[in-house]
C-alpha cells in the first residue's frame, strides 16, 4: 500500500490516530476512535484498518499496548496530505504584532522577541539565526583612530547591518593617513559582497601608495577578521527549554537528558537552520528525515526571513508529537512579519 493508494477510510483513521495521539500522548486504540469520532465503523472494522496501516508503516504498535502511535512515515503523510494548516486566532495575531512592532530599536531585539514568542506560543524550543553577512553587499566603511596604533573599523552593508572591529598597527598612525585610505576603500569595494571582498581584496589594492600601505597591509593580514561573518558561535538564539521539558515525552530521564544535550549543542541546530534556509516555503523535517541522529525523535519546522539581500531562519524543534497545523502557521506568520518589519525599518532609515 503506497501513500497514493490509501482510501478515504484509511486516511480518516490515520488522521484520527495522529490527532488523538498529538492531543493525549497515549497510544490510540480502535475503541477510542469509535467513541470519540462519529465515523460509522465498529471497533472491529477500525482494528482491521489500523492493522493495514501498521503493515504499511504508517503507525506502530508500541510494546504490548493495544493502541497505536504514528511513525515518521505516518506523520509525513499527515503533514503533506491530511492536515489543514490552522488559521491563527485574532488574539494570537494581535499578540505577535504588538510584541514585534514595539521592538524596533535593534534587529537583535526583534529577533530575541521573535524567539521568545515562538517558544511561548508553541511550547517548543525556538531557534532563530541572525542574518548571514557573507552575501551582504558592502555599503561603506569608516575608520576611526582610537590611539596612535589602534583603529576602529565600522562596516555597513546595504541591509542596514553594521559590523565593528578593532585593529592594532605595528607603527604609529598619522590622522592624515586615514581619510584617503577610507575614501579609497569605499571607492573600490562599493557594490561587492563581503565574500567577494575577501577573495579579491589583495588584488584590488596591490597598487596603493606608500603612505597608505601600512593600513592596507593590516587589512590584507586581517581580511577574514574584518570581512567574514565570524559570529557562528552566537548566530543562533535558542529559547524555550522550560516549555518543552514539561511535555510527557520528557518524563523519562533519558529523554530529558537528550533534549538538554541537544539545546547545549548549538551546532546541530545551526546546521539544520542554515540548510532549511535554502527553502522559500516552510521547511518541515520529521524524525529520521533529519540528518543528525540526535534529532531522530524530534521534528523541525522553520521558515526563512529576509533582510534586504541577506536572510536568516527561524523555527522550532520539538517532539514529533506536536500540533503541526498550528506550529506551521505560527512559524510562517512570524517569519513574514519579521521580513516586513525589517523591510519597513530599512526604508525609514
Amino acid at each position: 500500500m503506497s501513500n497514493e493508494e490509501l482510501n478515504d477510510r484509511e486516511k480518516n483513521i490515520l488522521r484520527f490516530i495522529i490527532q488523538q495521539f498529538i492531543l493525549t500522548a497515549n497510544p490510540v486504540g480502535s475503541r477510542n476512535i469509535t467513541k470519540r469520532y462519529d465515523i460509522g465503523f465498529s471497533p472491529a472494522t477500525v482494528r482491521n484498518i489500523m492493522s493495514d496501516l501498521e503493515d504499511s508503516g504508517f503507525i506502530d504498535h508500541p510494546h504490548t499496548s493495544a493502541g497505536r502511535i504514528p511513525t515518521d512515515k505516518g506523520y509525513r503523510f499527515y503533514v503533506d496530505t491530511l492536515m489543514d494548516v490552522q488559521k491563527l486566532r485574532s488574539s494570537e495575531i494581535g499578540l505577535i504584532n504588538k510584541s514585534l512592532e514595539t521592538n524596533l530599536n535593534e534587529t537583535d531585539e526583534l529577533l530575541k522577541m521573535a524567539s521568545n514568542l515562538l517558544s511561548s506560543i508553541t511550547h517548543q524550543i525556538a531557534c532563530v539565526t541572525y542574518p548571514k553577512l557573507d552575501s551582504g553587499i558592502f555599503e561603506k566603511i569608516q575608520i576611526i583612530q582610537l590611539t596612535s596604533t589602534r583603529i576602529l573599523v565600522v562596516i555597513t552593508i546595504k541591509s542596514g547591518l553594521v559590523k565593528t572591529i578593532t585593529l592594532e598597527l605595528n607603527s604609529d598612525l598619522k590622522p592624515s593617513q586615514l581619510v584617503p585610505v577610507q575614501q579609497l576603500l569605499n571607492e573600490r569595494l562599493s557594490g561587492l559582497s563581503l565574500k567577494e571582498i575577501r577573495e579579491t581584496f589583495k588584488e584590488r589594492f596591490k597598487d596603493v601608495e606608500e603612505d597608505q600601505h601600512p593600513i592596507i597591509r593590516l587589512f590584507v593580514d586581517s581580511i577574514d577578521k574584518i570581512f567574514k561573518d565570524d559570529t557562528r558561535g552566537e548566530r543562533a538564539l535558542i529559547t524555550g527549554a522550560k516549555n518543552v521539558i514539561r511535555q510527557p515525552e520528557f518524563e523519562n530521564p533519558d529523554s530529558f537528558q537528550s533534549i538538554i544535550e541537544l539545546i547545549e549543542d548549538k551546532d546541530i541546530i545551526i546546521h539544520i537552520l542554515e540548510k532549511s534556509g535554502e527553502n522559500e516555503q516552510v521547511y518541515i523535517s520529521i524524525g529520521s528525515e533529519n540528518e543528525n541522529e540526535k534529532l531522530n525523535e524530534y521534528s523541525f519546522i522553520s521558515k526563512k526571513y529576509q533582510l534586504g539581500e541577506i536572510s536568516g531562519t527561524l523555527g522550532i524543534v520539538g517532539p514529533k508529537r506536536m500540533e503541526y497545523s498550528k506550529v506551521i502557521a505560527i512559524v510562517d506568520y512570524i517569519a513574514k512579519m519579521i521580513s516586513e518589519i525589517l523591510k519597513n525599518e530599512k526604508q525609514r532609515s
Side-chain angles (χ1 to χ4, degrees):
M1 185 195 304
S2 68
N3 293 1
E4 293 76 17
E5 291 173 343
L6 287 182
N7 59 41
D8 288 343
R9 295 199 310 177
E10 292 159 344
K11 289 177 183 177
N12 283 333
I13 297 302
L14 180 59
R15 182 190 291 110
F16 295 146
I17 291 171
I18 293 176
Q19 289 175 346
Q20 191 66 9
F21 184 67
I22 288 172
L23 188 66
T24 66
N26 293 316
V28 182
S30 57
R31 193 168 296 279
N32 182 284
I33 293 289
T34 56
K35 282 185 176 182
R36 185 169 183 84
Y37 302 99
D38 184 18
I39 56 176
F41 302 148
S42 68
T45 300
V46 173
R47 277 196 297 274
N48 289 334
I49 296 172
M50 291 171 74
S51 179
D52 290 340
L53 289 170
E54 184 175 357
D55 289 343
S56 301
F58 291 97
I59 57 177
D60 196 12
H61 204 150
H63 311 300
T64 57
S65 166
R68 308 303 205 281
I69 63 173
T71 62
D72 294 354
K73 180 179 178 181
Y75 279 125
R76 172 52 63 188
F77 187 76
Y78 172 76
V79 167
D80 290 346
T81 308
L82 305 178
M83 178 193 72
D84 293 321
V85 176
Q86 189 178 119
K87 288 186 177 181
L88 297 184
R89 296 193 298 266
S90 58
S91 59
E92 292 170 330
I93 292 174
L95 171 64
I96 293 169
N97 291 355
K98 182 179 178 181
S99 299
L100 294 180
E101 290 174 350
T102 55
N103 284 272
L104 287 177
N105 292 335
E106 298 286 346
T107 300
D108 185 59
E109 291 179 14
L110 179 66
L111 298 182
K112 285 179 180 176
M113 176 54 70
S115 184
N116 288 330
L117 278 170
L118 276 170
S119 62
S120 63
I121 297 175
T122 65
H123 305 294
Q124 310 291 353
I125 296 170
C127 355
V128 180
T129 61
Y130 291 102
K132 294 182 68 176
L133 297 181
D134 239 21
S135 56
I137 303 302
F138 175 90
E139 184 171 292
K140 67 177 180 179
I141 193 168
Q142 295 169 280
I143 306 175
I144 301 165
Q145 186 166 8
L146 301 176
T147 68
S148 62
T149 59
R150 292 175 72 236
I151 58 174
L152 175 68
V153 178
V154 182
I155 299 170
T156 304
I157 61 177
K158 286 189 176 179
S159 62
L161 292 179
V162 174
K163 178 178 180 179
T164 61
I165 186 169
T166 302
L167 299 176
E168 188 88 28
L169 288 98
N170 293 325
S171 57
D172 287 352
L173 181 69
K174 297 177 183 178
S176 60
Q177 291 176 273
L178 287 182
V179 173
V181 171
Q182 180 176 294
Q183 183 177 347
L184 185 66
L185 287 166
N186 282 316
E187 287 174 356
R188 298 193 181 184
L189 301 180
S190 178
L192 299 174
S193 70
L194 296 195
K195 182 179 180 182
E196 289 173 323
I197 291 173
R198 290 201 312 274
E199 293 173 348
T200 63
F201 187 91
K202 189 173 183 180
E203 182 67 21
R204 291 176 187 276
F205 293 93
K206 63 182 182 181
D207 61 341
V208 296
E209 297 179 8
E210 189 63 31
D211 62 336
Q212 300 170 341
H213 188 271
I215 304 175
I216 296 299
R217 169 51 56 189
L218 179 61
F219 269 65
V220 170
D221 292 341
S222 310
I223 194 71
D224 282 346
K225 190 184 294 185
I226 301 170
F227 294 105
K228 192 170 185 178
D229 190 356
D230 55 2
T231 57
R232 181 172 177 84
E234 300 175 359
R235 277 183 43 76
L237 296 165
I238 299 177
T239 56
K242 65 181 181 181
N243 294 323
V244 77
I245 61 176
R246 293 172 183 164
Q247 298 190 37
E249 284 84 350
F250 303 109
E251 292 176 356
N252 181 302
D254 290 339
S255 299
F256 181 85
Q257 180 66 26
S258 72
I259 194 67
I260 297 303
E261 290 176 358
L262 180 62
I263 293 169
E264 290 178 345
D265 194 348
K266 281 190 175 183
D267 283 345
I268 294 176
I269 296 177
I270 290 173
H271 174 72
I272 194 168
L273 276 168
E274 291 180 344
K275 178 185 176 184
S276 67
E278 300 168 3
N279 295 265
E280 295 299 324
Q281 303 303 316
V282 175
Y283 174 90
I284 305 165
S285 186
I286 301 169
S288 57
E289 296 173 359
N290 296 306
E291 291 179 5
N292 195 295
E293 288 185 4
K294 288 186 177 181
L295 289 169
N296 279 358
E297 296 304 316
Y298 305 97
S299 285
F300 186 91
I301 299 174
S302 67
K303 177 77 182 285
K304 179 167 70 174
Y305 68 87
Q306 206 71 33
L307 175 55
E309 71 285 346
I310 62 177
S311 64
T313 311
L314 60 83
I316 65 94
V317 177
K320 290 182 286 187
R321 185 195 61 85
M322 68 169 64
E323 198 174 352
Y324 290 92
S325 60
K326 179 178 180 179
V327 172
I328 291 168
I330 291 169
V331 167
D332 187 45
Y333 185 77
I334 292 181
K336 288 176 179 176
M337 276 293 296
I338 289 179
S339 297
E340 191 64 27
I341 290 170
L342 292 174
K343 177 183 175 183
N344 292 339
E345 182 65 12
K346 181 185 174 187
Q347 290 172 347
R348 284 194 291 267
S349 60

